[in-house]
């Protein structure tokens, strides 16, 4: 087990940190060459008018959502190079170990650009509430992989340690946000200090879908470019809620989310 973790550049301490805090930083997860190639592919994917990829920025370049995030979802379905990175075995293996699931499937990827100048912070929120998954999916998680060095000036992330223990709270509008801390007023979480995570490109964070997180506005002259990959435990069932990723599949509520559009990327059986 330790040998396998070493190959992933992961330690038992990082796994324990993730389980306790709901997020973890993993350094040097991709090489400089991989980051250069991925950056080229993701720029191509952002520029393509793909049939499948859904992009928030289209027709709403001045909208308040666009000022928070210019995003494109499921780049991997239209771009073979992106598919290599979104399904990257090392990233999926790390997600498997952190989550403790028996198998990990891909939910979707998204390119997350924070545009220069006019940008707004990504407000404090949880992710899981947006995903159409029953509870087994509650260990679903995201890898957040910046393609540029990130710090407070261009949109690095902050996390509230232990906030994944709060359970699922109401969804937050990213463009017109409610204050998520109002839902945890008077609890220990209300007093917990956020942890800011500046990153060098090649490093990334993983966060649990229930962890409170935030990203600073981008005050620089260049876009802040991130690939985020969302994974969920194999066996997670659809909860019947409308969602841009699952709607075309016509799953019935209670059915497992599976099939070739949600590939099994890592599993203990195959390890
Ligand atoms: C961001 O990239 O600004 C936010 C990412 C997230 O909400 O997971
Ligand atoms: Ni989020």
């Amino acid at each position: 087990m330790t040998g396998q973790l070493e190959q992933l550049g992961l330690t038992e301490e990082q796994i324990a940190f993730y389980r306790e805090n709901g997020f973890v930083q993993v350094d040097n997860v991709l090489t400089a060459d991989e980051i250069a190639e991925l950056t080229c592919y993701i720029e191509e994917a952002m520029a393509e008018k793909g049939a499948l990829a859904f992009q928030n920025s289209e027709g709403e370049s001045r909208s308040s959502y666009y000022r928070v995030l210019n995003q494109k979802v499921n780049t991997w379905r239209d771009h073979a190079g992106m598919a290599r990175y979104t399904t990257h075995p090392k990233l999926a293996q790390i997600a498997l170990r952190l989550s403790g699931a028996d198998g990990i499937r891909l939910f979707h990827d998204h390119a997350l650009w924070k545009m220069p100048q006019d940008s707004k912070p990504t407000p404090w929120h949880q992710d899981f509430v947006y995903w159409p998954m029953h509870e087994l999916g509650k260990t679903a998680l995201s890898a957040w992989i910046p393609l540029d060095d990130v710090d407070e000036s261009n949109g690095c992330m902050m996390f509230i340690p232990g906030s994944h223990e709060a359970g699922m709270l109401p969804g937050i509008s990213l463009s017109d946000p409610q204050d998520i801390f109002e839902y945890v007023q008077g609890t220990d979480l209300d007093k917990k200090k956020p942890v800011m995570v500046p990153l060098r490109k090649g490093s990334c964070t993983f966060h649990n879908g229930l962890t409170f997180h935030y990203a600073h506005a981008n005050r620089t002259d260049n876009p802040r470019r991130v690939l985020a990959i969302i994974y969920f435990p194999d066996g997670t069932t659809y909860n019947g809620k409308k969602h841009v990723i699952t709607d075309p599949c016509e799953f019935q509520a209670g059915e497992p989310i599976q099939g070739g559009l949600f590939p099994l990327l890592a599993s203990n059986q195959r390890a």
Side-chain angles (χ1 to χ4, degrees):
M1 181 68 147
T2 311
Q4 284 167 4
L5 287 184
E6 247 167 54
Q7 277 177 7
L8 298 173
L10 195 67
T11 63
E12 294 286 3
E13 289 71 29
Q14 282 172 305
I15 296 174
F17 183 95
Y18 175 83
R19 302 260 173 97
E20 184 180 342
N21 295 289
F23 71 96
V24 71
Q25 174 174 343
V26 184
D27 287 331
N28 305 318
V29 77
L30 296 178
T31 65
D33 284 350
E34 284 179 313
I35 287 289
E37 187 176 55
L38 169 57
T39 303
C40 180
Y41 291 158
I42 204 165
E43 285 286 2
E44 284 173 2
M46 274 306 253
E48 261 170 29
K49 295 275 177 245
L52 292 169
F54 159 85
Q55 191 162 21
N56 285 117
S57 59
E58 279 167 22
E60 49 172 329
S61 58
R62 305 307 322 150
S63 80
S64 45
Y65 190 95
Y66 184 84
R67 289 178 61 199
V68 180
L69 286 171
N70 169 16
Q71 74 161 312
K72 190 161 198 174
V73 176
N74 266 343
T75 64
W76 73 282
R77 295 209 198 151
D78 291 335
H79 192 299
M82 284 309 300
R84 276 205 4 247
Y85 282 95
T86 293
T87 65
H88 200 300
K90 183 177 176 189
L91 295 167
Q93 282 289 339
I94 294 173
L96 180 79
R97 304 285 168 217
L98 293 175
S99 70
D102 285 333
I104 277 289
R105 288 185 181 270
L106 172 65
F107 185 46
H108 67 79
D109 70 16
H110 44 171
L112 295 174
W113 267 214
K114 225 178 228 308
M115 303 308 277
Q117 285 133 26
D118 207 12
S119 98
K120 292 208 296 191
T122 311
W124 286 105
H125 68 281
Q126 296 176 306
D127 293 333
F128 189 65
V129 61
Y130 307 119
W131 301 335
M133 297 172 191
H134 277 129
E135 275 290 282
L136 172 63
K138 75 177 188 229
T139 49
L141 70 167
S142 297
W144 191 84
I145 306 156
L147 306 171
D148 304 287
D149 295 349
V150 285
D151 60 23
E152 204 179 343
S153 72
N154 67 341
C156 77
M157 291 265 260
M158 296 211 287
F159 301 94
I160 302 291
S163 50
H164 60 308
E165 302 290 0
M168 191 163 76
L169 301 171
I172 302 292
S173 156
L174 293 192
S175 52
D176 182 17
Q178 303 79 8
D179 179 2
I180 198 170
F181 293 97
E182 288 198 350
Y183 301 121
V184 293
Q185 242 174 26
T187 71
D188 286 354
L189 274 183
D190 198 16
K191 296 173 217 95
K192 280 249 168 107
K193 277 216 163 64
V195 175
M196 194 194 307
V197 188
L199 290 171
R200 306 300 303 265
K201 60 183 175 184
S203 299
C204 74
T205 50
F206 285 80
H207 66 271
N208 182 302
L210 291 170
T211 304
F212 297 9
H213 55 288
Y214 167 101
H216 297 82
N218 178 6
R219 290 180 279 106
T220 68
D221 294 331
N222 298 307
R224 183 224 64 184
R225 300 170 299 179
V226 165
L227 169 65
I229 307 170
I230 301 168
Y231 307 95
F232 64 94
D234 186 30
T236 298
T237 48
Y238 174 59
N239 70 4
K241 290 211 185 118
K242 283 187 73 57
H243 191 281
V244 65
I245 301 299
T246 39
D247 286 352
C249 305
E250 300 184 350
F251 292 123
Q252 298 300 308
E255 248 187 86
I257 305 174
Q258 60 187 17
L261 298 180
F262 305 96
L264 186 68
L265 297 183
S267 122
N268 284 328
Q269 266 87 53
R270 293 188 196 170

